[in-house]
């Protein structure tokens, strides 16, 4: 095959989001054998078996969501690989990494990973990877689980909400991290200090729930993670950061060379505690959605690079577990379904704050791909996988839960107007349709 042979696919856009570009620019992208073979000027003389001129509709790299609870097997009535990956594709996510809970069994050893892969086989519409879990008593299994292909290990420093995935104490977290550092693995941490949390009272008032999980619980837990990462020269990642109080501590740790990254989520960037009404348990998540000033501090931290990535923390449950009838925040499951809506939600907030689509792609595609070591994902560049998203940033829509692909589309975004519509998604140069073509992914050192 020569350079003059036609490509399998040619896409042209006046708003293509390319690596290191501050703003989208006109470009043509040629795809061959599932990979990006050429990136040139908008009017480059490329020919393809399929050619599409997107005009002013944007072309983005496929998003990489490294924080998704698929829940299959065991709690498949909450979500499943078929429904989750359909929702992902509809939201512009072409790669996701599944959390080790709330499936049964949790992914805490090699046999459990085999069960998870078997459950997912043939059902995935996007690429899927897997996190392992670090729980009390499984430190000896972490290295073998790493060798089997998980991208890292999740632990909780407070109650996870499910009995089969208990939290670690700080000494247990340090023990696990010391072992993970020996093979340069990654520990990702739900960082809330259990001792700083109060029992949530039975109440329909969001303020009461918020008061039970103060910002200091995040800050003190993050301090413990930073101390351990510094001592062991280990890689750590802070999950779903909600509290502005912890940002200076993370920034200082980065400045002194601690190998730490952090994420936040669309719901923390969109909502604020002040707007959550009594009984609105669809907003419950842990850590909780905090004040508007916390939200704006998170946006500033993204711009400054203190926060590295934005991922969904898609954590669905059946409607009865959200206790929408009683509105009791203490009883309700803590999790938000947003996998299909994350790109639009973040773009809505970003455009209102003068940020560009290039920023969004860095936070939601390139950054997460780098976090888990997938250099061929999350960017439009020669040699990368042709996982692409056609995105209309100027269109708007009102969220209708019935139109979502999530198995249980209870969402706090219901009725909210968002900007940006995914028009199409491509996996290895082929449009994502009704045939599941997703692959299982493993870290490069395992491959």
């Amino acid at each position: 095959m020569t350079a003059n042979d036609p490509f399998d696919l040619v896409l042209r856009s006046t708003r293509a989001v390319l690596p290191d570009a501050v703003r989208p620019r006109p470009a043509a992208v040629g795809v061959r054998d599932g990979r990006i073979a050429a990136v040139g000027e908008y009017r480059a003389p490329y020919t393809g078996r399929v050619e599409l001129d997107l005009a002013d509709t944007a072309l983005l790299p496929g998003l990489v969501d490294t924080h998704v609870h698929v829940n299959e097997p065991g709690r498949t009535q909450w979500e499943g690989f078929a429904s989750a990956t359909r929702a992902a594709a509809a939201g512009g996510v072409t790669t996701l990494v599944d959390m080790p809970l709330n499936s049964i069994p949790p992914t805490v050893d090699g046999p459990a990973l085999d069960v998870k892969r078997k459950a997912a086989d043939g059902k995935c519409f996007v690429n899927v990877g897997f996190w392992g879990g670090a729980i009390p008593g499984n430190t000896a299994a972490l290295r073998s689980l790493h060798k089997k292909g998980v991208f890292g290990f999740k632990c909780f420093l407070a109650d996870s909400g499910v009995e089969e995935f208990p939290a670690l104490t700080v000494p247990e977290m340090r023990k696990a991290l010391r072992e993970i550092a020996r093979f340069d693995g990654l520990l990702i941490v739900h960082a809330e200090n259990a001792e700083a949390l109060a029992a949530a009272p039975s109440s329909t008032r969001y303020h009461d729930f918020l008061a039970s999980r103060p910002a200091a619980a995040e800050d003190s837990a993050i301090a413990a993670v930073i101390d351990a990462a510094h001592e062991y020269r280990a890689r750590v990642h802070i999950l779903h950061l909600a509290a502005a109080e912890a940002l200076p501590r993370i920034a200082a740790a980065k400045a002194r060379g601690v190998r730490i990254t952090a994420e936040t989520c669309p719901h923390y960037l969109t909502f604020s505690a002040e707007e959550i009404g009594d009984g609105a348990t669809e907003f419950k998540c842990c850590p909780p959605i905090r004040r508007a000033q916390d939200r704006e501090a998170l946006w500033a931290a993204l711009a400054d690079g203190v926060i590295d990535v934005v991922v969904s923390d898609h954590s669905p449950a059946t409607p009865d577990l959200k206790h929408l009838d009683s509105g009791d925040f203490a009883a309700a499951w803590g999790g938000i379904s947003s996998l299909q809506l994350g790109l639009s939600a973040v773009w809505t907030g970003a455009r209102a704050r003068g940020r560009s689509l290039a920023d969004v792609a860095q936070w939601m595609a390139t950054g997460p791909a780098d976090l888990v070591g997938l250099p061929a994902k999350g960017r439009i560049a020669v040699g990368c996988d042709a996982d692409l998203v056609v995105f209309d940033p100027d269109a708007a829509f009102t969220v209708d839960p019935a139109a979502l692909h999530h198995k249980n589309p209870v969402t706090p975004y219901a009725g909210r107007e968002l900007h940006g519509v995914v028009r199409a998604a491509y996996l290895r140069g082929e449009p994502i349709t009704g045939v599941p073509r997703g692959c299982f992914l493993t870290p490069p050192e395992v491959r």
Side-chain angles (χ1 to χ4, degrees), residues 367-434:
D370 290 344
L371 173 69
V372 293
L374 294 174
K377 303 292 186 187
R379 65 207 86 210
I380 300 176
V382 172
C384 290
D385 295 334
D387 299 343
L388 303 164
V389 176
V390 178
F391 184 68
D392 186 345
D394 301 321
F397 68 102
T398 300
V399 176
D400 175 8
L404 301 178
H405 292 284
H406 309 154
K407 184 169 286 189
N408 294 288
V410 176
T411 173
Y413 292 95
R416 195 175 188 95
E417 184 179 70
L418 298 178
H419 288 269
V421 174
V422 173
R423 300 298 187 192
Y426 290 80
L427 196 67
R428 297 185 299 278
E430 296 287 340
I432 299 176
T433 58

Side-chain angles (χ1 to χ4, degrees), residues 109-146:
D109 55 32
L113 178 60
D114 292 337
V115 170
K116 180 74 71 80
R117 284 175 169 157
K118 184 177 180 180
D121 190 32
K123 298 178 182 177
C124 299
F125 291 86
V126 302
N127 300 309
V128 173
F130 301 96
W131 293 109
I135 62 172
N138 84 325
T139 300
L142 298 179
R143 184 182 292 267
S144 61
L145 195 50
H146 169 74

Side-chain angles (χ1 to χ4, degrees), residues 55-406:
D56 290 338
T57 303
L59 183 65
L60 278 63
L63 271 55
V64 178
D65 192 337
T66 55
H67 196 149
V68 179
H69 294 268
V70 176
N71 303 338
E72 185 177 8
R75 291 188 174 94
T76 310
Q77 70 273 26
W78 293 16
E79 191 64 283
F81 283 100
S83 54
T85 56
R86 279 185 183 274
V93 175
T94 55
T95 295
L96 64 82
V97 187
D98 173 58
M99 283 290 166
L101 73 161
N102 302 301
S103 58
I104 302 173
T107 315
V108 295
D109 55 32
L113 178 60
D114 292 337
V115 170
K116 180 74 71 80
R117 284 175 169 157
K118 184 177 180 180
D121 190 32
K123 298 178 182 177
C124 299
F125 291 86
V126 302
N127 300 309
V128 173
F130 301 96
W131 293 109
I135 62 172
N138 84 325
T139 300
L142 298 179
R143 184 182 292 267
S144 61
L145 195 50
H146 169 74
K147 289 180 178 179
K148 282 183 72 73
V150 299
F151 283 92
F153 305 91
K154 180 178 186 177
C155 74
F156 281 75
L157 295 181
D159 181 23
S160 73
V162 292
E163 62 182 2
E164 68 275 1
F165 201 97
L168 298 180
T169 63
V170 169
E172 288 170 336
M173 178 273 292
R174 293 176 63 88
K175 179 181 178 182
L177 186 58
R178 185 168 61 244
E179 170 64 15
I180 291 166
R182 292 183 176 127
F183 52 84
D184 199 31
L186 174 64
L187 181 68
I188 64 174
V189 184
H190 180 123
E192 287 184 285
N193 180 348
E195 295 180 358
L197 301 179
S202 179
S203 173
T204 61
R205 296 178 66 238
Y206 183 74
H207 174 78
D208 294 335
F209 167 65
L210 180 61
S212 74
R213 305 187 86 98
E218 288 190 73
D219 188 41
S220 58
I222 289 168
V225 174
I226 289 171
D227 286 346
H230 180 262
E231 180 175 347
Y232 302 132
R233 299 181 181 180
R235 297 165 56 214
V236 294
H237 177 73
I238 302 302
L239 297 166
H240 44 48
L241 183 66
E245 185 173 320
L247 291 169
R249 188 181 301 279
I250 295 170
K254 288 188 171 193
R256 74 174 196 262
V258 177
R259 301 169 73 193
I260 184 171
T261 51
E263 71 185 38
T264 193
C265 306
H267 40 278
Y268 300 127
L269 297 171
T270 301
F271 305 113
S272 66
E274 293 89 338
E275 68 185 273
I276 300 175
D278 289 351
T281 54
E282 64 269 25
F283 287 89
K284 182 181 176 181
C285 57
C286 300
I289 295 165
R290 301 195 185 277
R291 302 161 299 171
Q293 65 191 68
D294 288 86
R295 177 187 63 198
E296 297 311 312
L298 296 176
W299 278 107
L302 277 168
D304 294 341
V306 177
I307 297 176
D308 302 88
V309 299
V310 181
V311 291
S312 69
D313 189 11
H314 178 69
S315 185
T318 53
D320 61 299
L321 292 177
K322 293 300 282 185
H323 287 271
L324 300 170
D325 52 350
S326 69
D328 185 345
F329 279 99
W333 173 258
I336 287 177
S337 296
S338 62
L339 183 56
Q340 188 170 334
L341 300 171
L343 174 56
S344 299
V346 173
W347 171 237
T348 299
R351 71 194 290 274
R353 293 166 175 81
R355 310 306 301 189
S356 78
L357 281 174
D359 296 318
V360 174
Q362 174 61 42
W363 300 331
M364 303 187 78
T366 313
D370 290 344
L371 173 69
V372 293
L374 294 174
K377 303 292 186 187
R379 65 207 86 210
I380 300 176
V382 172
C384 290
D385 295 334
D387 299 343
L388 303 164
V389 176
V390 178
F391 184 68
D392 186 345
D394 301 321
F397 68 102
T398 300
V399 176
D400 175 8
L404 301 178
H405 292 284
H406 309 154

